[in-house]
PDB file of all heavy atoms in Angstrom:
ATOM      1  N   ALA A   1      91.609-102.065-119.525  1.00  0.00           N
ATOM      2  CA  ALA A   1      90.257-101.973-118.916  1.00  0.00           C
ATOM      3  C   ALA A   1      89.763-100.523-118.949  1.00  0.00           C
ATOM      4  O   ALA A   1      88.524-100.274-119.278  1.00  0.00           O
ATOM      5  CB  ALA A   1      90.343-102.451-117.406  1.00  0.00           C
ATOM      6  N   GLN A   2      90.623 -99.568-118.710  1.00  0.00           N
ATOM      7  CA  GLN A   2      90.183 -98.147-118.867  1.00  0.00           C
ATOM      8  C   GLN A   2      89.807 -97.809-120.289  1.00  0.00           C
ATOM      9  O   GLN A   2      88.943 -97.078-120.610  1.00  0.00           O
ATOM     10  CB  GLN A   2      91.355 -97.214-118.294  1.00  0.00           C
ATOM     11  CG  GLN A   2      91.498 -97.312-116.869  1.00  0.00           C
ATOM     12  CD  GLN A   2      92.726 -96.627-116.429  1.00  0.00           C
ATOM     13  OE1 GLN A   2      93.799 -96.672-116.997  1.00  0.00           O
ATOM     14  NE2 GLN A   2      92.617 -95.824-115.310  1.00  0.00           N
ATOM     15  N   ARG A   3      90.605 -98.378-121.255  1.00  0.00           N
ATOM     16  CA  ARG A   3      90.364 -98.145-122.706  1.00  0.00           C
ATOM     17  C   ARG A   3      88.942 -98.688-123.037  1.00  0.00           C
ATOM     18  O   ARG A   3      88.164 -97.972-123.652  1.00  0.00           O
ATOM     19  CB  ARG A   3      91.401 -98.869-123.540  1.00  0.00           C
ATOM     20  CG  ARG A   3      91.105 -98.609-125.079  1.00  0.00           C
ATOM     21  CD  ARG A   3      91.827 -99.585-125.943  1.00  0.00           C
ATOM     22  NE  ARG A   3      91.369-100.987-125.799  1.00  0.00           N
ATOM     23  CZ  ARG A   3      90.327-101.477-126.218  1.00  0.00           C
ATOM     24  NH1 ARG A   3      89.487-100.825-126.997  1.00  0.00           N
ATOM     25  NH2 ARG A   3      90.024-102.829-126.034  1.00  0.00           N
ATOM     26  N   ARG A   4      88.606 -99.855-122.598  1.00  0.00           N
ATOM     27  CA  ARG A   4      87.258-100.446-122.895  1.00  0.00           C
ATOM     28  C   ARG A   4      86.202 -99.611-122.229  1.00  0.00           C
ATOM     29  O   ARG A   4      85.175 -99.295-122.911  1.00  0.00           O
ATOM     30  CB  ARG A   4      87.168-101.796-122.377  1.00  0.00           C
ATOM     31  CG  ARG A   4      87.973-102.869-123.193  1.00  0.00           C
ATOM     32  CD  ARG A   4      87.586-104.299-122.871  1.00  0.00           C
ATOM     33  NE  ARG A   4      87.777-104.602-121.441  1.00  0.00           N
ATOM     34  CZ  ARG A   4      88.941-105.051-120.933  1.00  0.00           C
ATOM     35  NH1 ARG A   4      90.001-105.192-121.713  1.00  0.00           N
ATOM     36  NH2 ARG A   4      88.981-105.289-119.629  1.00  0.00           N
ATOM     37  N   ALA A   5      86.414 -99.091-121.057  1.00  0.00           N
ATOM     38  CA  ALA A   5      85.399 -98.248-120.371  1.00  0.00           C
ATOM     39  C   ALA A   5      85.273 -96.928-121.048  1.00  0.00           C
ATOM     40  O   ALA A   5      84.160 -96.348-121.140  1.00  0.00           O
ATOM     41  CB  ALA A   5      85.745 -98.073-118.920  1.00  0.00           C
ATOM     42  N   GLU A   6      86.340 -96.439-121.582  1.00  0.00           N
ATOM     43  CA  GLU A   6      86.330 -95.051-122.174  1.00  0.00           C
ATOM     44  C   GLU A   6      85.866 -95.046-123.695  1.00  0.00           C
ATOM     45  O   GLU A   6      85.378 -94.045-124.126  1.00  0.00           O
ATOM     46  CB  GLU A   6      87.772 -94.603-122.166  1.00  0.00           C
ATOM     47  CG  GLU A   6      88.003 -93.132-122.558  1.00  0.00           C
ATOM     48  CD  GLU A   6      87.524 -92.116-121.557  1.00  0.00           C
ATOM     49  OE1 GLU A   6      87.228 -92.417-120.417  1.00  0.00           O
ATOM     50  OE2 GLU A   6      87.419 -90.900-121.997  1.00  0.00           O
ATOM     51  N   ALA A   7      85.961 -96.178-124.381  1.00  0.00           N
ATOM     52  CA  ALA A   7      85.704 -96.198-125.783  1.00  0.00           C
ATOM     53  C   ALA A   7      84.302 -95.642-126.221  1.00  0.00           C
ATOM     54  O   ALA A   7      84.288 -94.782-127.075  1.00  0.00           O
ATOM     55  CB  ALA A   7      85.910 -97.555-126.380  1.00  0.00           C
ATOM     56  N   HIS A   8      83.268 -96.091-125.698  1.00  0.00           N
ATOM     57  CA  HIS A   8      81.949 -95.702-125.928  1.00  0.00           C
ATOM     58  C   HIS A   8      81.784 -94.253-125.636  1.00  0.00           C
ATOM     59  O   HIS A   8      81.162 -93.418-126.429  1.00  0.00           O
ATOM     60  CB  HIS A   8      80.871 -96.527-125.315  1.00  0.00           C
ATOM     61  CG  HIS A   8      79.487 -96.081-125.637  1.00  0.00           C
ATOM     62  ND1 HIS A   8      78.806 -96.280-126.817  1.00  0.00           N
ATOM     63  CD2 HIS A   8      78.628 -95.371-124.780  1.00  0.00           C
ATOM     64  CE1 HIS A   8      77.630 -95.747-126.744  1.00  0.00           C
ATOM     65  NE2 HIS A   8      77.528 -95.237-125.582  1.00  0.00           N
ATOM     66  N   TYR A   9      82.198 -93.906-124.532  1.00  0.00           N
ATOM     67  CA  TYR A   9      82.052 -92.490-124.058  1.00  0.00           C
ATOM     68  C   TYR A   9      82.786 -91.501-125.007  1.00  0.00           C
ATOM     69  O   TYR A   9      82.244 -90.469-125.258  1.00  0.00           O
ATOM     70  CB  TYR A   9      82.639 -92.399-122.583  1.00  0.00           C
ATOM     71  CG  TYR A   9      82.364 -91.097-121.904  1.00  0.00           C
ATOM     72  CD1 TYR A   9      81.061 -90.596-121.735  1.00  0.00           C
ATOM     73  CD2 TYR A   9      83.407 -90.422-121.279  1.00  0.00           C
ATOM     74  CE1 TYR A   9      80.801 -89.376-121.132  1.00  0.00           C
ATOM     75  CE2 TYR A   9      83.212 -89.215-120.603  1.00  0.00           C
ATOM     76  CZ  TYR A   9      81.830 -88.736-120.595  1.00  0.00           C
ATOM     77  OH  TYR A   9      81.664 -87.509-119.889  1.00  0.00           O
ATOM     78  N   ARG A  10      83.942 -91.901-125.461  1.00  0.00           N
ATOM     79  CA  ARG A  10      84.737 -91.062-126.430  1.00  0.00           C
ATOM     80  C   ARG A  10      83.864 -90.889-127.724  1.00  0.00           C
ATOM     81  O   ARG A  10      83.894 -89.733-128.268  1.00  0.00           O
ATOM     82  CB  ARG A  10      86.065 -91.647-126.587  1.00  0.00           C
ATOM     83  CG  ARG A  10      87.040 -91.396-125.482  1.00  0.00           C
ATOM     84  CD  ARG A  10      88.371 -92.039-125.751  1.00  0.00           C
ATOM     85  NE  ARG A  10      89.073 -91.368-126.828  1.00  0.00           N
ATOM     86  CZ  ARG A  10      90.107 -90.565-126.625  1.00  0.00           C
ATOM     87  NH1 ARG A  10      90.541 -90.249-125.390  1.00  0.00           N
ATOM     88  NH2 ARG A  10      90.794 -90.046-127.646  1.00  0.00           N
ATOM     89  N   ILE A  11      83.296 -91.923-128.159  1.00  0.00           N
ATOM     90  CA  ILE A  11      82.558 -91.830-129.444  1.00  0.00           C
ATOM     91  C   ILE A  11      81.355 -90.916-129.239  1.00  0.00           C
ATOM     92  O   ILE A  11      81.164 -89.978-130.056  1.00  0.00           O
ATOM     93  CB  ILE A  11      82.013 -93.272-129.841  1.00  0.00           C
ATOM     94  CG1 ILE A  11      83.192 -94.049-130.341  1.00  0.00           C
ATOM     95  CG2 ILE A  11      81.019 -93.124-131.024  1.00  0.00           C
ATOM     96  CD1 ILE A  11      82.855 -95.531-130.532  1.00  0.00           C
ATOM     97  N   GLU A  12      80.724 -91.049-128.101  1.00  0.00           N
ATOM     98  CA  GLU A  12      79.540 -90.154-127.852  1.00  0.00           C
ATOM     99  C   GLU A  12      79.953 -88.744-127.667  1.00  0.00           C
ATOM    100  O   GLU A  12      79.332 -87.840-128.218  1.00  0.00           O
ATOM    101  CB  GLU A  12      78.894 -90.748-126.497  1.00  0.00           C
ATOM    102  CG  GLU A  12      77.517 -90.231-126.292  1.00  0.00           C
ATOM    103  CD  GLU A  12      76.917 -90.979-125.103  1.00  0.00           C
ATOM    104  OE1 GLU A  12      77.257 -90.571-123.958  1.00  0.00           O
ATOM    105  OE2 GLU A  12      76.122 -91.861-125.311  1.00  0.00           O
ATOM    106  N   ARG A  13      81.006 -88.484-126.849  1.00  0.00           N
ATOM    107  CA  ARG A  13      81.450 -87.103-126.666  1.00  0.00           C
ATOM    108  C   ARG A  13      82.060 -86.491-127.923  1.00  0.00           C
ATOM    109  O   ARG A  13      81.810 -85.308-128.207  1.00  0.00           O
ATOM    110  CB  ARG A  13      82.597 -87.045-125.560  1.00  0.00           C
ATOM    111  CG  ARG A  13      82.084 -87.163-124.181  1.00  0.00           C
ATOM    112  CD  ARG A  13      83.220 -87.085-123.189  1.00  0.00           C
ATOM    113  NE  ARG A  13      84.212 -88.084-123.499  1.00  0.00           N
ATOM    114  CZ  ARG A  13      85.296 -88.326-122.823  1.00  0.00           C
ATOM    115  NH1 ARG A  13      85.596 -87.595-121.792  1.00  0.00           N
ATOM    116  NH2 ARG A  13      86.137 -89.304-123.152  1.00  0.00           N
ATOM    117  N   GLY A  14      82.723 -87.290-128.684  1.00  0.00           N
ATOM    118  CA  GLY A  14      83.310 -86.754-129.965  1.00  0.00           C
ATOM    119  C   GLY A  14      82.314 -86.340-130.977  1.00  0.00           C
ATOM    120  O   GLY A  14      82.402 -85.310-131.604  1.00  0.00           O
ATOM    121  N   THR A  15      81.277 -87.133-131.141  1.00  0.00           N
ATOM    122  CA  THR A  15      80.251 -86.819-132.193  1.00  0.00           C
ATOM    123  C   THR A  15      79.241 -85.736-131.724  1.00  0.00           C
ATOM    124  O   THR A  15      78.592 -85.174-132.544  1.00  0.00           O
ATOM    125  CB  THR A  15      79.516 -88.095-132.670  1.00  0.00           C
ATOM    126  OG1 THR A  15      78.981 -88.758-131.531  1.00  0.00           O
ATOM    127  CG2 THR A  15      80.445 -89.092-133.345  1.00  0.00           C
ATOM    128  N   SER A  16      79.055 -85.652-130.432  1.00  0.00           N
ATOM    129  CA  SER A  16      78.072 -84.647-129.925  1.00  0.00           C
ATOM    130  C   SER A  16      78.451 -83.256-130.326  1.00  0.00           C
ATOM    131  O   SER A  16      77.659 -82.415-130.622  1.00  0.00           O
ATOM    132  CB  SER A  16      77.877 -84.747-128.408  1.00  0.00           C
ATOM    133  OG  SER A  16      79.077 -84.370-127.741  1.00  0.00           O
ATOM    134  N   CYS A  17      79.775 -82.967-130.481  1.00  0.00           N
ATOM    135  CA  CYS A  17      80.234 -81.689-130.945  1.00  0.00           C
ATOM    136  C   CYS A  17      79.704 -81.325-132.288  1.00  0.00           C
ATOM    137  O   CYS A  17      79.185 -80.241-132.585  1.00  0.00           O
ATOM    138  CB  CYS A  17      81.758 -81.710-130.921  1.00  0.00           C
ATOM    139  SG  CYS A  17      82.517 -80.197-131.592  1.00  0.00           S
ATOM    140  N   TRP A  18      79.795 -82.323-133.197  1.00  0.00           N
ATOM    141  CA  TRP A  18      79.373 -82.119-134.578  1.00  0.00           C
ATOM    142  C   TRP A  18      77.792 -82.048-134.614  1.00  0.00           C
ATOM    143  O   TRP A  18      77.226 -81.195-135.299  1.00  0.00           O
ATOM    144  CB  TRP A  18      79.792 -83.299-135.459  1.00  0.00           C
ATOM    145  CG  TRP A  18      79.410 -83.246-136.868  1.00  0.00           C
ATOM    146  CD1 TRP A  18      79.791 -82.341-137.819  1.00  0.00           C
ATOM    147  CD2 TRP A  18      78.427 -84.032-137.424  1.00  0.00           C
ATOM    148  NE1 TRP A  18      79.166 -82.561-139.001  1.00  0.00           N
ATOM    149  CE2 TRP A  18      78.380 -83.634-138.798  1.00  0.00           C
ATOM    150  CE3 TRP A  18      77.596 -85.085-137.076  1.00  0.00           C
ATOM    151  CZ2 TRP A  18      77.447 -84.238-139.707  1.00  0.00           C
ATOM    152  CZ3 TRP A  18      76.774 -85.697-137.869  1.00  0.00           C
ATOM    153  CH2 TRP A  18      76.625 -85.262-139.204  1.00  0.00           C
ATOM    154  N   MET A  19      77.161 -82.972-133.874  1.00  0.00           N
ATOM    155  CA  MET A  19      75.626 -82.971-133.827  1.00  0.00           C
ATOM    156  C   MET A  19      75.082 -81.654-133.303  1.00  0.00           C
ATOM    157  O   MET A  19      74.055 -81.258-133.754  1.00  0.00           O
ATOM    158  CB  MET A  19      75.212 -84.123-133.038  1.00  0.00           C
ATOM    159  CG  MET A  19      75.507 -85.440-133.704  1.00  0.00           C
ATOM    160  SD  MET A  19      75.095 -86.914-132.698  1.00  0.00           S
ATOM    161  CE  MET A  19      73.371 -86.920-132.778  1.00  0.00           C
ATOM    162  N   GLU A  20      75.852 -81.032-132.466  1.00  0.00           N
ATOM    163  CA  GLU A  20      75.314 -79.768-131.854  1.00  0.00           C
ATOM    164  C   GLU A  20      75.745 -78.601-132.676  1.00  0.00           C
ATOM    165  O   GLU A  20      75.454 -77.421-132.340  1.00  0.00           O
ATOM    166  CB  GLU A  20      75.942 -79.546-130.384  1.00  0.00           C
ATOM    167  CG  GLU A  20      75.322 -80.566-129.460  1.00  0.00           C
ATOM    168  CD  GLU A  20      76.086 -80.546-128.116  1.00  0.00           C
ATOM    169  OE1 GLU A  20      76.992 -79.725-127.902  1.00  0.00           O
ATOM    170  OE2 GLU A  20      75.761 -81.392-127.230  1.00  0.00           O
ATOM    171  N   GLY A  21      76.467 -78.778-133.799  1.00  0.00           N
ATOM    172  CA  GLY A  21      76.838 -77.743-134.677  1.00  0.00           C
ATOM    173  C   GLY A  21      78.041 -76.944-134.159  1.00  0.00           C
ATOM    174  O   GLY A  21      78.341 -75.834-134.632  1.00  0.00           O
ATOM    175  N   LYS A  22      78.826 -77.480-133.202  1.00  0.00           N
ATOM    176  CA  LYS A  22      79.994 -76.786-132.651  1.00  0.00           C
ATOM    177  C   LYS A  22      81.244 -77.125-133.365  1.00  0.00           C
ATOM    178  O   LYS A  22      82.238 -76.493-133.164  1.00  0.00           O
ATOM    179  CB  LYS A  22      80.104 -77.110-131.121  1.00  0.00           C
ATOM    180  CG  LYS A  22      78.937 -76.609-130.301  1.00  0.00           C
ATOM    181  CD  LYS A  22      79.170 -77.045-128.867  1.00  0.00           C
ATOM    182  CE  LYS A  22      78.034 -76.564-127.956  1.00  0.00           C
ATOM    183  NZ  LYS A  22      78.255 -77.010-126.591  1.00  0.00           N
ATOM    184  N   CYS A  23      81.207 -78.170-134.219  1.00  0.00           N
ATOM    185  CA  CYS A  23      82.376 -78.615-134.908  1.00  0.00           C
ATOM    186  C   CYS A  23      82.051 -78.835-136.409  1.00  0.00           C
ATOM    187  O   CYS A  23      80.953 -79.368-136.737  1.00  0.00           O
ATOM    188  CB  CYS A  23      82.897 -80.009-134.403  1.00  0.00           C
ATOM    189  SG  CYS A  23      83.408 -79.999-132.691  1.00  0.00           S
ATOM    190  N   ALA A  24      82.998 -78.526-137.242  1.00  0.00           N
ATOM    191  CA  ALA A  24      82.797 -78.759-138.679  1.00  0.00           C
ATOM    192  C   ALA A  24      83.171 -80.195-139.003  1.00  0.00           C
ATOM    193  O   ALA A  24      82.645 -80.772-139.876  1.00  0.00           O
ATOM    194  CB  ALA A  24      83.676 -77.850-139.532  1.00  0.00           C
ATOM    195  N   LYS A  25      84.077 -80.814-138.181  1.00  0.00           N
ATOM    196  CA  LYS A  25      84.477 -82.173-138.447  1.00  0.00           C
ATOM    197  C   LYS A  25      83.546 -83.060-137.706  1.00  0.00           C
ATOM    198  O   LYS A  25      82.972 -82.692-136.662  1.00  0.00           O
ATOM    199  CB  LYS A  25      85.950 -82.404-137.902  1.00  0.00           C
ATOM    200  CG  LYS A  25      86.966 -81.552-138.682  1.00  0.00           C
ATOM    201  CD  LYS A  25      88.350 -81.748-138.198  1.00  0.00           C
ATOM    202  CE  LYS A  25      89.351 -80.963-139.001  1.00  0.00           C
ATOM    203  NZ  LYS A  25      90.718 -81.150-138.565  1.00  0.00           N
ATOM    204  N   PRO A  26      83.308 -84.303-138.169  1.00  0.00           N
ATOM    205  CA  PRO A  26      82.307 -85.224-137.560  1.00  0.00           C
ATOM    206  C   PRO A  26      82.722 -85.733-136.155  1.00  0.00           C
ATOM    207  O   PRO A  26      81.849 -86.423-135.556  1.00  0.00           O
ATOM    208  CB  PRO A  26      82.260 -86.362-138.572  1.00  0.00           C
ATOM    209  CG  PRO A  26      83.401 -86.343-139.298  1.00  0.00           C
ATOM    210  CD  PRO A  26      83.942 -84.933-139.373  1.00  0.00           C
ATOM    211  N   ASN A  27      83.917 -85.487-135.672  1.00  0.00           N
ATOM    212  CA  ASN A  27      84.248 -85.935-134.344  1.00  0.00           C
ATOM    213  C   ASN A  27      85.279 -84.924-133.794  1.00  0.00           C
ATOM    214  O   ASN A  27      86.279 -84.545-134.453  1.00  0.00           O
ATOM    215  CB  ASN A  27      84.866 -87.361-134.441  1.00  0.00           C
ATOM    216  CG  ASN A  27      85.054 -87.906-133.106  1.00  0.00           C
ATOM    217  OD1 ASN A  27      85.667 -87.394-132.167  1.00  0.00           O
ATOM    218  ND2 ASN A  27      84.515 -89.125-132.960  1.00  0.00           N
ATOM    219  N   ALA A  28      85.035 -84.555-132.543  1.00  0.00           N
ATOM    220  CA  ALA A  28      85.887 -83.465-131.944  1.00  0.00           C
ATOM    221  C   ALA A  28      87.344 -83.971-131.790  1.00  0.00           C
ATOM    222  O   ALA A  28      88.297 -83.192-131.790  1.00  0.00           O
ATOM    223  CB  ALA A  28      85.377 -83.118-130.529  1.00  0.00           C
ATOM    224  N   TYR A  29      87.562 -85.350-131.660  1.00  0.00           N
ATOM    225  CA  TYR A  29      88.871 -85.853-131.529  1.00  0.00           C
ATOM    226  C   TYR A  29      89.708 -85.707-132.812  1.00  0.00           C
ATOM    227  O   TYR A  29      90.881 -85.759-132.739  1.00  0.00           O
ATOM    228  CB  TYR A  29      88.871 -87.263-131.126  1.00  0.00           C
ATOM    229  CG  TYR A  29      88.310 -87.523-129.694  1.00  0.00           C
ATOM    230  CD1 TYR A  29      86.982 -87.806-129.457  1.00  0.00           C
ATOM    231  CD2 TYR A  29      89.164 -87.328-128.587  1.00  0.00           C
ATOM    232  CE1 TYR A  29      86.534 -87.934-128.179  1.00  0.00           C
ATOM    233  CE2 TYR A  29      88.717 -87.483-127.285  1.00  0.00           C
ATOM    234  CZ  TYR A  29      87.372 -87.739-127.105  1.00  0.00           C
ATOM    235  OH  TYR A  29      86.956 -87.923-125.767  1.00  0.00           O
ATOM    236  N   LEU A  30      89.091 -85.426-133.931  1.00  0.00           N
ATOM    237  CA  LEU A  30      89.777 -85.221-135.185  1.00  0.00           C
ATOM    238  C   LEU A  30      90.612 -83.924-135.159  1.00  0.00           C
ATOM    239  O   LEU A  30      91.450 -83.701-136.040  1.00  0.00           O
ATOM    240  CB  LEU A  30      88.810 -85.294-136.370  1.00  0.00           C
ATOM    241  CG  LEU A  30      88.144 -86.611-136.662  1.00  0.00           C
ATOM    242  CD1 LEU A  30      87.104 -86.514-137.723  1.00  0.00           C
ATOM    243  CD2 LEU A  30      89.122 -87.686-136.932  1.00  0.00           C
ATOM    244  N   TYR A  31      90.316 -83.025-134.261  1.00  0.00           N
ATOM    245  CA  TYR A  31      90.998 -81.777-134.167  1.00  0.00           C
ATOM    246  C   TYR A  31      92.339 -81.916-133.349  1.00  0.00           C
ATOM    247  O   TYR A  31      93.220 -81.056-133.416  1.00  0.00           O
ATOM    248  CB  TYR A  31      90.150 -80.725-133.458  1.00  0.00           C
ATOM    249  CG  TYR A  31      88.920 -80.238-134.241  1.00  0.00           C
ATOM    250  CD1 TYR A  31      87.757 -80.892-134.150  1.00  0.00           C
ATOM    251  CD2 TYR A  31      89.041 -79.088-134.987  1.00  0.00           C
ATOM    252  CE1 TYR A  31      86.650 -80.470-134.891  1.00  0.00           C
ATOM    253  CE2 TYR A  31      87.955 -78.608-135.742  1.00  0.00           C
ATOM    254  CZ  TYR A  31      86.735 -79.331-135.673  1.00  0.00           C
ATOM    255  OH  TYR A  31      85.647 -78.872-136.409  1.00  0.00           O
ATOM    256  N   ASP A  32      92.464 -82.990-132.617  1.00  0.00           N
ATOM    257  CA  ASP A  32      93.521 -83.063-131.599  1.00  0.00           C
ATOM    258  C   ASP A  32      94.963 -83.092-132.211  1.00  0.00           C
ATOM    259  O   ASP A  32      95.820 -82.326-131.754  1.00  0.00           O
ATOM    260  CB  ASP A  32      93.338 -84.283-130.758  1.00  0.00           C
ATOM    261  CG  ASP A  32      92.067 -84.212-129.905  1.00  0.00           C
ATOM    262  OD1 ASP A  32      91.531 -83.106-129.862  1.00  0.00           O
ATOM    263  OD2 ASP A  32      91.715 -85.252-129.295  1.00  0.00           O
ATOM    264  N   ALA A  33      95.161 -83.867-133.324  1.00  0.00           N
ATOM    265  CA  ALA A  33      96.547 -83.873-133.845  1.00  0.00           C
ATOM    266  C   ALA A  33      96.913 -82.496-134.401  1.00  0.00           C
ATOM    267  O   ALA A  33      98.056 -82.088-134.127  1.00  0.00           O
ATOM    268  CB  ALA A  33      96.593 -85.003-134.965  1.00  0.00           C
ATOM    269  N   PRO A  34      96.090 -81.774-135.234  1.00  0.00           N
ATOM    270  CA  PRO A  34      96.422 -80.553-135.663  1.00  0.00           C
ATOM    271  C   PRO A  34      96.674 -79.473-134.518  1.00  0.00           C
ATOM    272  O   PRO A  34      97.562 -78.668-134.560  1.00  0.00           O
ATOM    273  CB  PRO A  34      95.297 -80.083-136.553  1.00  0.00           C
ATOM    274  CG  PRO A  34      94.596 -81.313-136.923  1.00  0.00           C
ATOM    275  CD  PRO A  34      94.782 -82.290-135.848  1.00  0.00           C
ATOM    276  N   ILE A  35      95.825 -79.597-133.451  1.00  0.00           N
ATOM    277  CA  ILE A  35      96.030 -78.715-132.332  1.00  0.00           C
ATOM    278  C   ILE A  35      97.400 -79.017-131.676  1.00  0.00           C
ATOM    279  O   ILE A  35      98.153 -78.052-131.395  1.00  0.00           O
ATOM    280  CB  ILE A  35      94.887 -78.810-131.303  1.00  0.00           C
ATOM    281  CG1 ILE A  35      93.600 -78.237-131.835  1.00  0.00           C
ATOM    282  CG2 ILE A  35      95.296 -78.217-129.976  1.00  0.00           C
ATOM    283  CD1 ILE A  35      92.358 -78.526-131.018  1.00  0.00           C
ATOM    284  N   GLY A  36      97.663 -80.206-131.458  1.00  0.00           N
ATOM    285  CA  GLY A  36      98.957 -80.689-130.867  1.00  0.00           C
ATOM    286  C   GLY A  36     100.143 -80.120-131.624  1.00  0.00           C
ATOM    287  O   GLY A  36     101.103 -79.605-131.147  1.00  0.00           O
ATOM    288  N   ALA A  37      99.989 -80.293-133.002  1.00  0.00           N
ATOM    289  CA  ALA A  37     101.088 -79.828-133.874  1.00  0.00           C
ATOM    290  C   ALA A  37     101.287 -78.268-133.808  1.00  0.00           C
ATOM    291  O   ALA A  37     102.390 -77.763-133.777  1.00  0.00           O
ATOM    292  CB  ALA A  37     100.799 -80.297-135.389  1.00  0.00           C
ATOM    293  N   SER A  38     100.252 -77.563-133.743  1.00  0.00           N
ATOM    294  CA  SER A  38     100.184 -76.073-133.610  1.00  0.00           C
ATOM    295  C   SER A  38     100.836 -75.683-132.332  1.00  0.00           C
ATOM    296  O   SER A  38     101.609 -74.723-132.386  1.00  0.00           O
ATOM    297  CB  SER A  38      98.777 -75.495-133.771  1.00  0.00           C
ATOM    298  OG  SER A  38      98.272 -75.711-135.022  1.00  0.00           O
TER     299      SER A  38
END
């Protein structure tokens, strides 16, 4: 239930980074795995 509630919000938050020119990648969540590995 939390996943369903969170899904749309995550898409919106993730892409706003790119739309605002703050991210080179189209979604902020795409940075997470490399950050975690670092």
Side-chain angles (χ1 to χ4, degrees):
Q2 290 170 316
R3 181 198 62 80
R4 284 192 306 273
E6 186 77 12
H8 176 76
Y9 190 53
R10 285 176 69 101
I11 292 168
E12 197 172 78
R13 284 183 300 183
T15 57
S16 66
C17 175
W18 179 72
M19 292 173 72
E20 293 169 4
K22 295 179 182 178
C23 296
K25 296 180 181 182
N27 190 305
Y29 292 97
L30 296 174
Y31 290 86
D32 295 349
I35 289 172
S38 293

